Amino acid sequence: MPIQQKGLSIASVTLTTLRSSHQYGILNFSKESNDASTTELTSLHTNDTIVCTTSIPISMSVSEFLEFLAPVESLVSHYRVIGDTTVDTYMVLMKFREAEAASEYYKQYNNRKFSSMEPERCQVIYIESVEINSVILPPYTFPFIHDDLISEETLPTCPVCLEPMDEHVTGLLTIICQHTFHSHCLSKWSDGSCPVCRYSQKSVTGPDMVMSAERMVEETNECSDCHSNTNLWVCLLCGHIGCGRYGNAHAYEHYKESQHIYAIEIESQRVWDYAGDGYVHRLIENELDGKLVELSNRENESTNVNQEKLEAMSIEYSYLLSSQLDSQQIYYENEMEKVKSQVHTLNHHLKSLFSEKDSVLNRCDLIQQQIEETEAAVNEAMDEKKKTEGRLEEWTQRTEGMKQLWLEEKKTTNGLMSSNDILVKSIKEKQDKIQELSDQVRDLTFFLEAREKVQDHPELEGGSVGTRTPHARHNKRKGKR
């Protein structure tokens, strides 16, 4: 079990009813105490703007949880981190500015995974009342439940930014050690501990955590440029950490850039003067009168020191520090001038970009107008095309009809031609037959006439009858012509 510090509390949630698909519960605060007579419970009733997010894994820091709730951060007026009865999780009590925002948060985040790579899920419960041991935890430790407990004249200040903490203006965050900050200030604190008391809610009882903590302490100090952790020097004016001349000499480069002449070596705690190129006296504050006195490194040096000499050294040291502060002011003023020059250049560049943007927008408008004209021409051409296609289809239908009529007439003509050939052949055959019958009739007529003449003239009986060829007579007549 982790060690609970004084003033820290743990809580549990007791589920009560389910109303409008929202789970309600009672938040019970408790603290281990052997004296049962000191237990005095106070119940604080809440409204529908306070919810409790439970089952948050201890591996997720408060800043990571705030990043998880980034979409609804502006809707929350106060967070309060509370320890859970289990050592692996904690919970956060949240007060929203409006009940609708709390309801939307419940719908969006209840039973939602904290990470797609982890199985833990976010559990959200509406808090209808808070039960507090008023002896251990006074009710004024929950000012966000009743807005009238703190007046505007007595607003506390944030320990990080030193600005007044008003939950109506910006969200507040009270961590497990009962220190309150602006939520956006603590979200930038990546250490995982309280900026005031350095309390960390993460357990370090396991051997792996102890080793990692020792390794963290060993690796806390490192060069700001090359990240070396040996032969380190700290600037006494701005706190810059750099390696010494036997390394990459980043501390000396910082002196050349900022003209901060005093730096202290972490290992030996000796102060080096870059301007004088030598060590200076080590000065400490006297616990009796608060004055700066010299701390000697020699064990056998006499403890009786001339008080006037020490005061002179103190005045000289104060004068050197003030002169260095003046040089630091000049250095930062020069840096500000450089930044102003860069801002001026960026503003000029921004104006040129805006003018270029306007020209590009004008070109875009012109191109858009041309596109609209082209689209109108294309639409007109498409209409003309549709009309032409309609006329083409009409003429195609007419052509198909004429072709069909021509084929029918051709078929009829072919039938008539074949019938004509049959008729001509039949006529010819009949003419030949008529000619043959005419010849037979002529011969029969001639025979009958001859017989009658013979009967009329008996003397002609036994004679012969001859005929002349008509062709010879025809040719003879032709020759006479």
Side-chain angles (χ1 to χ4, degrees), residues 351-406:
K351 292 180 180 179
S352 63
L353 289 177
F354 274 117
S355 61
E356 184 178 357
K357 171 194 171 185
D358 295 335
S359 62
V360 170
L361 288 177
N362 293 331
R363 288 199 300 270
C364 288
D365 294 338
L366 180 60
I367 293 173
Q368 184 67 26
Q369 184 178 0
Q370 293 177 354
I371 290 174
E372 291 177 356
E373 293 176 355
T374 304
E375 288 179 351
V378 169
N379 292 332
E380 185 178 356
M382 291 297 295
D383 294 338
E384 187 65 26
K385 178 185 175 184
K386 290 180 180 179
K387 294 180 181 179
T388 305
E389 289 178 350
R391 289 195 296 269
L392 177 62
E393 185 177 358
E394 182 181 356
W395 281 105
T396 301
Q397 291 178 357
R398 290 183 180 181
T399 304
E400 290 293 333
M402 295 295 292
K403 183 178 179 181
Q404 188 69 24
L405 182 60
W406 175 75

Side-chain angles (χ1 to χ4, degrees), residues 26 178 196 454:
I26 300 175
Q178 299 185 14
V196 178
V454 172

